[in-house]
């Protein structure tokens, strides 16, 4: 490694430091990360399709089967987050674990679990909607605006 001397100008010291960082910094394994994100995201999607098929086989129409499937996937993601399993899956799968509905459930429960030591109301209750709150507000406001536009311009 290169020696950095106090007598060197600051910019040279910065360049030497950057060079040392580049030498020891681990290289990202992009190919492996993309592969496992694809596999895990696909498995979550296949699981969702299996639940959808199960509910349809039990006689639910497509719309209700889709709602039931979403509910089950959100529940499972929240449960696995509470048990600490979903975070381990996310470390392994990366972006594959943030398939929209399960990732949303994880982003709701994870902050609540982090602050559970502060109690049910001030810890879990207050932190439950730190991520989901803005998303829900945006969704509700957008739905209202679309409904108003539809009402006035139909």
């Amino acid at each position: 490694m290169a020696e950095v001397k106090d007598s060197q100008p600051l910019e040279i010291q910065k360049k030497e430091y950057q060079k040392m960082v580049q030498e020891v910094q681990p290289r990202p394994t992009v190919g492996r990360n993309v592969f496992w994100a694809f596999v895990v995201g696909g498995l979550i999607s296949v699981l969702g399709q299996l639940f959808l098929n199960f509910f349809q086989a039990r006689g639910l129409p497509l719309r209700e089967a889709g709602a039931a499937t979403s509910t089950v996937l959100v529940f499972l993601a929240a449960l696995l987050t509470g048990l600490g399993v979903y975070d381990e899956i996310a470390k392994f799968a990366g972006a594959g674990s943030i398939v929209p509905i399960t990732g949303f459930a994880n982003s709701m429960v994870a902050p609540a679990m982090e602050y559970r030591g502060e109690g049910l109301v001030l810890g879990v209750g207050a932190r439950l909607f730190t991520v989901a709150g803005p998303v829900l507000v945006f969704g509700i406001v957008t739905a209202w605006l679309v409904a108003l536009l539809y009402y006035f311009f139909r």
Side-chain angles (χ1 to χ4, degrees), residues 46-60 62 65 69:
V46 166
L47 181 65
Q49 186 65 48
L50 290 173
F51 279 120
L52 182 70
N53 293 346
F54 172 79
F55 290 125
Q56 283 186 307
R58 298 294 178 264
L60 285 177
L62 180 60
T69 300

Side-chain angles (χ1 to χ4, degrees), residues 113-133:
M113 296 307 296
E114 187 175 332
Y115 289 94
R116 67 178 172 236
E118 294 180 18
L120 287 178
V121 174
L122 295 176
V124 175
R127 302 292 182 196
L128 190 59
F129 294 104
T130 54
V131 173

Side-chain angles (χ1 to χ4, degrees), residues 40-56 62 64-74 76 99 101-102:
V40 173
L43 287 174
I44 293 171
S45 299
V46 166
L47 181 65
Q49 186 65 48
L50 290 173
F51 279 120
L52 182 70
N53 293 346
F54 172 79
F55 290 125
Q56 283 186 307
L62 180 60
E64 283 81 10
T69 300
S70 297
T71 302
V72 169
L73 288 176
V74 167
L76 288 176
V99 173
I101 197 151
T102 55

Side-chain angles (χ1 to χ4, degrees), residues 125-153:
R127 302 292 182 196
L128 190 59
F129 294 104
T130 54
V131 173
V135 173
L136 292 173
V137 169
F138 179 76
I140 291 168
V141 169
T142 303
W144 270 92
L145 291 175
V146 169
L148 285 173
L149 290 173
Y150 177 77
Y151 179 76
F152 288 119
F153 297 110

